Amino acid sequence: MDTSINRLEVRVHGKAFECQDGDVIGRNGTVGQELFSNLEGLAERHVLIGRNGLLWFLLIPRNVKEPALLDGEPAEHGVRHPLEHSHHLRIGSTTLHFSVVVETQSSSRTNDEEDECFGSMAGAVAALDSNFFEMLANNVHDLVAVIDAKGRRLWNNAAYATVLGYTPADMQGTDSTVEIHPDDQPLVKKTFVDSMITEKGSRIEYRMRHREGRWVFLESDGVVLSNWQGVGKCLVIIARDVTARKRAEYEIRKRNQRQRAQSAVLAKFASATEFHLGDLPVCLAMLTEAIVDMLQCERAAVWLMNAEAGRLMCADLFINGKPEHSTGEDSLALADIPHYLQSLQSVRTLIAAQAIDHPALRELSDTYLSAHEIVTKLDVPIRRGTDLLGVLSCEGTHQHEWTIDEQSFVTALADLFLLAYETQERMRTYQALQESQQQLAAETAEAARYVLSLLPGKLTGDISTDWLFIPSEQLGGDAFGYHWLDDDHLAIYLLDVVGHGVGAALLSVTALNVFRNQGLPNIDFHDPAAVLVALNASFEMDEQNEMYFTAWYGVFHRPSRTLRFSAAGHPPAILFTGDAPAAATMVELKAPGLMIGAVAGAGYVTQSTTLGAYGKLYVFSDGAYEVSRRDGSAMSFEEFTTILAQPPASDDGDLAGIVERMREIQGAKMLPDDCSLMKLVFN
């Protein structure tokens, strides 16, 4: 039989380095020092490389503070991550590409045999000479024990001292179930009895008490021997320590539970009447209590700017364990905190694991942090355009590592607060100006500017983008965007909430943040249909004030020029592709699927197409083409696609020309619905 001997390579910035067992990647590591020593965002010892038999793995030490993404998912620190084929690790703006490279082949066992090594070791025990068996068993890391027909230990190997703290002499002649966890003893005893009757071992998991008192998770298999060293029928047990795996599984379950809980809170707030009406005091209390509950921090506060008083005012403070909220009792003079305010203007989140030492918080050290014994702090600025309105603060009096999930959750809360804040302003203005049409138009423009602030920057280069967002007379629910999932995959999305008003806008912003922050637990955002299925489950119309929305979601793979997409009741995107612009043909990118939230358990389909050397993609809402002519007849979708195929009719670009043509057809400047148009050119 043949086996593959492999080696591990890491590539970064076009350079390749071979890794050895025990290597360290970092500014003071053992691999590629001429390159890694100058990379920003890299710790002294950022990544440890190891090998266990044929399996390579990487580990990020727990003392490394910088977050990392492994194959697009947050990489947990302090845990071994297996490297099997090709993987990418993103640290800040740097991506490390790991590849397990096949080098040579020689006689050994197959991959299937390797997977069953644990069980086959047990099956081979019966054929071993007893002296050779003891010599072999004492030189492996797995636990090996021989149990007689009465369940007493006849022999244990030396690994018991390493894994559980018991020497073979300690175990000799004792009851094999004494150290087993009480809850697991029935399973272990039943398995022992069944094995002795059927003369076949079984693989089980259970907990065993360490000599120091803690519990160790074991996975064991067994084989029955008819007569071991003349004492009669015995059971040989081979077990391994799986505590680290069980802890990792537990942490994953906890994280998934937290993400589901956070998504439920965001969905609840998005449809809450208090946010729709702009009831700011109630909204503030809901936000701060949710932060303390979800993040398990000691304090949460919303601070708002008061330019007239020249102070940053604490609008609401909630302290864990106290029944009442504090409002207006704390304030900071703006003149005393210029560097702190400047920092809030330039970041999306201000993360201070060690608050007292953070450069942006030095002005708060004596007057605020020390006074309240604040050790760690996460601040999310509340901005409208370039204006700083305030800050959402999460504070801990004990050490707390702010995870990416927590940062995304608080950022989404800040966006929801901003909508409630602007709703309150609109309500006050509405009452003051007696529902004037002029003020309604101003409010719509204000909402459009906010939506514009969430829309993406325009790309240039081999992929260039352009877009137009034109709101209707009433506040609507269009939102769209695109972002890189990794170096090779560009996500493209547009959604349209059915209806108008603040509720539609709130729902669209909440759904947009799910796309932007990839806020669906355990979902691969490279899979369009899976994203829409999870989105449909998270935004059921029964929980969203009977609101639902259409969506189109696509993922472009740059190396293969493949575009995978799915749709939920949304108009098809239009693609022009070919060897050159003049030779491009039109393709409708449509996929079946009901609107998001309309029907629980609805299914969606991923379609795909491959772009030629040139490609131009239009993604749009139905407001772009659903217009009526002056005689009352409706323009068809086919007529709209004909307009898309025509050369630009405006010096401002083809998107402006398309909108101008729609206005000419209906004979009015204001379109009846929100109009969203995205154009992406793939050269």
Side-chain angles (χ1 to χ4, degrees), residues 146 358 380 420 501 538 577 590:
V146 181
H358 197 284
V380 176
S538 300
T577 184
K590 55 185 176 181

Side-chain angles (χ1 to χ4, degrees), residues 101-115:
V101 181
V102 175
E103 189 80 328
T104 59
Q105 290 189 329
S106 61
S107 179
S108 184
R109 58 187 172 220
T110 65
N111 288 337
D112 289 339
E113 290 170 333
E114 180 68 26
D115 293 339

Side-chain angles (χ1 to χ4, degrees), residues 617-637:
L617 175 69
Y618 290 98
V619 187
F620 42 87
S621 63
D622 56 13
Y625 65 89
E626 287 187 348
V627 298
S628 298
R629 297 183 179 88
R630 299 182 186 185
D631 61 4
S633 62
M635 189 183 76
S636 68
F637 183 78

Side-chain angles (χ1 to χ4, degrees), residues 202 450 483 671:
S202 298
Y450 171 66
H483 67 273
L671 298 175

Side-chain angles (χ1 to χ4, degrees), residues 536-537 540 599-604:
N536 186 63
E540 294 183 3
V599 177
Y604 300 91

Side-chain angles (χ1 to χ4, degrees), residues 7-20 23-25 30-37 39 49 56 94-101:
R7 58 187 178 85
L8 181 66
E9 279 189 358
V10 58
R11 288 182 174 270
V12 60
H13 295 175
K15 294 185 178 181
F17 303 96
E18 184 170 350
C19 297
Q20 304 295 332
D23 269 344
V24 177
I25 296 176
T30 59
V31 178
Q33 274 305 96
E34 67 278 7
L35 175 63
F36 290 112
S37 60
L39 290 182
I49 302 298
W56 289 94
T94 301
T95 300
L96 310 180
H97 299 271
F98 290 94
S99 299
V100 178
V101 181

Side-chain angles (χ1 to χ4, degrees), residues 250-523:
Y250 173 71
E251 290 300 324
I252 291 173
R253 288 196 300 271
K254 281 179 55 180
R255 181 187 176 197
N256 291 340
Q257 290 172 356
R258 288 194 299 267
Q259 289 179 331
R260 286 193 294 269
Q262 291 171 4
S263 297
V265 168
L266 294 176
K268 175 184 176 182
F269 286 1
S271 59
T273 304
E274 293 83 359
F275 282 84
H276 293 182
L277 298 178
D279 191 344
L280 216 54
V282 176
C283 293
L284 290 172
M286 292 171 65
L287 290 172
T288 53
E289 289 183 18
I291 290 173
V292 168
D293 182 37
M294 291 289 103
L295 275 59
Q296 292 298 296
C297 59
E298 285 75 26
R299 297 161 55 95
V302 180
W303 298 73
L304 298 178
M305 299 283 285
N306 188 329
E308 294 182 0
R311 303 192 73 82
L312 184 64
M313 310 292 296
C314 182
D316 187 276
L317 168 66
F318 182 68
I319 300 176
N320 193 8
K322 291 190 176 182
E324 301 297 331
H325 289 250
S326 301
T327 56
E329 297 179 6
D330 278 337
S331 67
L332 300 168
L334 301 182
D336 294 338
I337 52 173
H339 294 96
Y340 175 58
L341 296 176
Q342 184 179 2
S343 298
L344 293 178
Q345 287 279 20
S346 60
V347 299
R348 192 66 183 101
T349 56
L350 197 161
I351 307 165
Q354 299 291 338
I356 203 74
D357 298 324
H358 197 284
L361 303 178
R362 288 174 183 167
E363 296 158 339
L364 305 179
S365 297
D366 297 330
T367 57
Y368 182 75
L369 299 179
S370 298
H372 298 290
E373 300 180 348
I374 296 172
V375 174
T376 182
K377 193 169 171 63
L378 168 64
D379 285 351
V380 176
I382 303 169
R383 290 195 296 260
R384 181 171 55 188
T386 59
D387 295 333
L388 180 65
L389 301 182
V391 59
L392 191 54
S393 293
C394 316
E395 300 165 345
T397 57
H398 300 86
Q399 194 62 45
H400 187 109
E401 295 292 336
W402 306 104
T403 66
I404 294 177
D405 293 337
E406 291 173 339
Q407 297 171 39
S408 299
F409 175 66
V410 180
T411 299
L413 290 181
D415 289 337
L416 285 173
F417 168 77
L418 181 58
L419 280 176
Y421 180 88
E422 292 187 330
T423 300
Q424 183 193 63
E425 287 190 335
R426 285 193 293 270
M427 294 290 287
R428 290 174 177 173
T429 306
Y430 174 83
Q431 294 170 2
L433 298 180
Q434 299 294 314
E435 302 181 348
S436 70
Q437 187 65 35
Q438 181 181 0
Q439 183 58 32
L440 181 60
E443 290 173 358
T444 303
E446 183 72 9
R449 284 194 294 272
Y450 171 66
V451 174
L452 283 171
S453 72
L454 299 179
L455 300 181
K458 297 181 180 180
L459 303 179
T460 58
D462 57 346
I463 299 178
S464 60
T465 63
D466 193 11
W467 52 261
L468 278 179
F469 171 67
I470 303 173
S472 63
E473 291 183 350
Q474 293 182 317
L475 191 60
D478 278 14
F480 58 85
Y482 41 79
H483 67 273
W484 289 100
L485 298 174
D486 53 45
D487 291 344
D488 295 328
H489 294 84
L490 179 69
I492 308 161
Y493 38 91
L494 190 149
L495 61 94
D496 182 3
V497 178
V498 177
H500 295 86
V502 177
L506 278 168
L507 183 57
S508 69
V509 169
T510 302
L512 179 63
N513 274 317
V514 171
F515 283 115
R516 292 169 62 195
N517 300 322
Q518 300 179 41
L520 296 169
N522 299 323
I523 296 302

Side-chain angles (χ1 to χ4, degrees), residues 140-178:
V140 297
H141 296 295
D142 290 339
L143 305 175
V144 182
V146 181
I147 310 299
D148 67 12
K150 295 181 179 180
R152 306 192 71 81
R153 299 182 177 101
L154 297 178
W155 184 87
N156 295 80
N157 72 338
Y160 272 81
T162 304
V163 177
L164 294 167
Y166 303 107
T167 66
D170 295 333
M171 312 293 279
Q172 183 74 30
T174 60
D175 184 348
S176 60
T177 62
V178 170

